[in-house]
C-alpha cells in the first residue's frame, strides 16, 4: 500500500517491483545518498529536458566506510533497480562505487555506464598549472588509489596528494552545510593539502559540492576546485550527441523521479534546496 506524506511531498512504496505509472527511457543515476543530486542538477542544466530516474541509497549511506565487496553488491542492486524501472543509461554518481565497482557494472550490464572519476581527472589536468593536485574523498575512494592511477596514466609527472574525509558525507546528509563545526572539520582536513601547495583540488565525492563554498574559503580562492558532477554531465552530453541511436530512445519530457531507500526530513529539505524546486520522494526497498 502506498501512503502519502504531504508535508514532505513524499510517496512511500513498499515494493522493489516496477512501480505503477513508470516513466520509461530515462537517464538513470544512483548514489549512496543525497550527494548524487548534484549530478542530477548538472545533467539537467547541461542537457535540459531529458527524463531522469534517481536512486539515493539513504538507508545504507555512507558507502565510504564499507568494504569493496559490499559496495559492489550495492552498486549491482542499484543498477538493477534503475534498469528495471526504465533507465537506458546509468550514471554512477558515487565516487566510492565508481572506484571499486565500475568495471563490474560495465561488464555485467549491457546499458552504457558512466562514472564520475575519469571526468574529474581530465578536468583537473586541464586546469592545473603546476600539476600539483589534491584529492579529498571517502576512505574507500582514497584507499582505492583510483585518482592517483588515472592521473598518473595521463601525466606521469603529476603530483597527487589525497586526504580521507570520512566525516563530510554524514555532515552533508545531516544538513550541517553552514555549521561552524563543519567549517572547522573542513579546515582540518584541508590543512595537509595547503602545506603541499596544491593548485587544484578534486572533490572526490558528489556530496562535497554541497560544501563547495566552505571548501573554497578554507583552501583559498586561488585553488581551482574540480566538481566531478560537471565533468560527468559533459561526458553524458557528448555521448548522446555521438550516439543518436541511443539518444532517440530517451524520453524528453523534462520529468524526474527520485527514489530513496529511506525517507528523512533532511533529505527532502536538501533535495529541494539542491534542485531549486519541489521534489516528490519515493521510498522503495532494494
Amino acid at each position: 500500500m502506498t501512503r502519502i506524506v504531504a508535508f514532505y511531498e513524499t510517496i512511500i512504496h513498499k515494493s522493489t517491483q516496477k512501480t505503477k505509472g513508470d516513466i520509461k527511457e530515462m537517464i538513470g543515476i544512483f548514489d549512496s545518498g543525497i550527494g548524487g543530486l548534484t549530478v542530477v542538477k548538472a545533467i539537467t542544466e547541461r542537457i535540459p529536458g531529458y527524463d531522469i530516474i534517481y536512486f539515493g541509497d539513504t538507508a545504507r549511506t555512507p558507502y565510504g566506510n564499507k568494504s569493496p565487496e559490499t559496495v559492489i553488491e550495492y552498486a549491482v542492486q542499484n543498477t538493477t533497480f534503475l534498469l528495471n524501472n526504465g533507465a537506458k543509461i546509468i550514471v554512477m554518481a558515487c565516487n566510492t562505487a565508481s572506484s571499486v565497482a565500475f568495471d563490474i557494472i560495465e561488464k555485467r550490464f549491457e546499458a552504457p555506464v558512466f562514472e564520475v572519476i575519469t571526468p574529474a581527472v581530465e578536468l583537473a589536468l586541464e586546469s592545473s598549472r603546476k600539476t600539483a593536485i589534491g584529492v579529498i574523498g571517502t576512505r574507500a575512494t582514497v584507499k582505492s588509489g583510483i585518482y592517483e592511477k588515472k592521473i598518473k596514466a595521463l601525466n606521469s609527472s603529476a603530483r597527487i596528494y589525497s586526504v580521507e574525509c570520512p566525516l563530510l558525507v554524514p555532515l552533508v546528509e545531516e544538513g550541517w552545510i553552514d555549521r561552524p563545526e563543519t567549517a572547522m572539520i573542513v579546515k582540518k582536513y584541508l590543512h595537509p593539502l595547503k602545506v603541499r601547495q596544491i593548485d587544484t583540488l578534486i572533490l572526490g565525492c558528489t556530496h562535497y559540492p554541497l560544501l563547495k563554498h566552505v571548501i573554497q574559503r578554507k583552501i583559498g580562492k586561488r585553488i581551482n576546485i574540480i566538481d566531478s558532477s560537471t565533468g560527468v554531465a559533459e561526458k553524458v552530453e557528448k555521448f548522446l550527441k555521438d550516439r543518436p541511436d541511443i539518444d532517440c530512445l530517451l524520453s524528453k519530457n523534462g520529468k524526474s523521479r527520485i527514489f530513496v531507500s529511506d525517507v528523512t526530513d533532511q533529505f527532502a529539505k536538501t533535495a529541494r534546496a539542491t534542485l531549486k524546486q519541489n521534489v516528490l520522494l519515493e521510498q522503495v526497498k532494494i
Side-chain angles (χ1 to χ4, degrees):
M1 179 179 293
T2 300
R3 64 185 179 88
I4 302 177
V5 184
F7 183 77
Y8 300 116
E9 298 178 279
T10 302
I11 295 178
I12 300 181
H13 292 285
K14 299 300 184 182
S15 172
T16 59
Q17 303 302 312
K18 292 185 180 181
T19 53
K20 185 180 286 187
D22 283 342
I23 307 168
K24 297 302 181 183
E25 294 83 39
M26 294 174 284
I27 297 173
I29 304 170
F30 76 81
D31 183 43
S32 63
I34 201 165
L37 290 180
T38 61
V39 175
V40 173
K41 182 173 183 288
I43 289 177
T44 55
E45 289 177 347
R46 188 85 187 185
I47 47 172
Y50 286 81
D51 292 355
I52 289 174
I53 179 171
Y54 177 80
F55 175 68
D57 197 3
T58 47
R60 302 186 293 196
T61 195
Y63 283 6
N65 60 7
K66 306 290 195 302
S67 69
E69 293 77 15
T70 297
V71 174
I72 290 169
E73 178 184 356
Y74 291 174
V76 169
Q77 292 171 354
N78 299 345
T79 302
T80 300
F81 169 76
L82 291 174
L83 293 174
N84 284 346
N85 284 277
K88 295 301 180 185
I89 67 174
I90 298 295
V91 179
M92 301 174 66
C94 174
N95 278 259
T96 300
S98 294
S99 67
V100 301
F102 172 71
D103 290 343
I104 292 171
I105 297 299
E106 189 179 41
K107 290 176 182 177
R108 179 171 296 196
F109 299 95
E110 294 183 359
V113 182
F114 297 84
E115 41 84 13
V116 290
I117 294 173
T118 302
V121 165
E122 293 173 352
L123 287 176
L125 287 172
E126 287 174 8
S127 63
S128 181
R129 302 178 304 278
K130 302 182 295 184
T131 58
I133 300 170
V135 179
I136 55 174
T138 65
R139 283 198 178 105
T141 298
V142 172
K143 287 185 183 302
S144 74
I146 189 68
Y147 276 100
E148 289 86 346
K149 294 172 187 175
K150 286 185 175 290
I151 291 173
K152 287 288 189 181
L154 295 175
N155 187 332
S156 60
S157 64
R159 292 179 289 127
I160 307 104
Y161 309 100
S162 300
V163 174
E164 299 175 6
C165 303
L167 295 178
L168 296 190
V169 168
L171 288 170
V172 170
E173 291 286 337
E174 285 297 320
W176 282 32
I177 305 298
D178 295 307
R179 296 285 288 264
E181 297 90 341
T182 301
M184 290 175 60
I185 291 169
V186 168
K187 181 179 180 180
K188 183 174 179 61
Y189 281 148
L190 294 178
H191 178 71
L193 299 177
K194 293 191 74 171
V195 171
R196 296 289 189 176
Q197 297 185 325
I198 62 169
D199 68 356
T200 301
L201 176 64
I202 296 175
L203 304 184
C205 175
T206 50
H207 283 71
Y208 297 175
L210 295 170
L211 295 170
K212 186 175 180 179
H213 62 294
V214 179
I215 294 169
Q216 187 76 76
R217 189 168 71 245
K218 296 303 179 183
I219 195 64
K221 63 182 180 180
R222 294 185 178 181
I223 306 303
N224 186 33
I225 292 181
I226 302 299
D227 178 350
S228 60
S229 63
T230 302
V232 75
E234 292 177 4
K235 289 286 187 183
V236 172
E237 178 188 37
K238 184 179 186 303
F239 174 82
L240 293 177
K241 284 182 177 179
D242 293 342
R243 293 293 304 272
D245 56 317
I246 294 178
D247 181 67
C248 71
L249 298 176
L250 297 174
S251 298
K252 301 176 180 68
N253 301 306
K255 297 181 179 180
S256 298
R257 300 194 73 179
I258 301 177
F259 290 88
V260 291
S261 50
D262 185 34
V263 174
T264 65
D265 300 355
Q266 189 55 51
F267 190 103
K269 180 180 178 181
T270 306
R272 287 193 294 269
T274 301
L275 300 178
K276 308 299 183 186
Q277 63 185 44
N278 289 330
V279 296
L280 192 66
L281 304 182
E282 305 182 59
Q283 184 176 343
V284 64
K285 183 178 180 181
I286 295 295

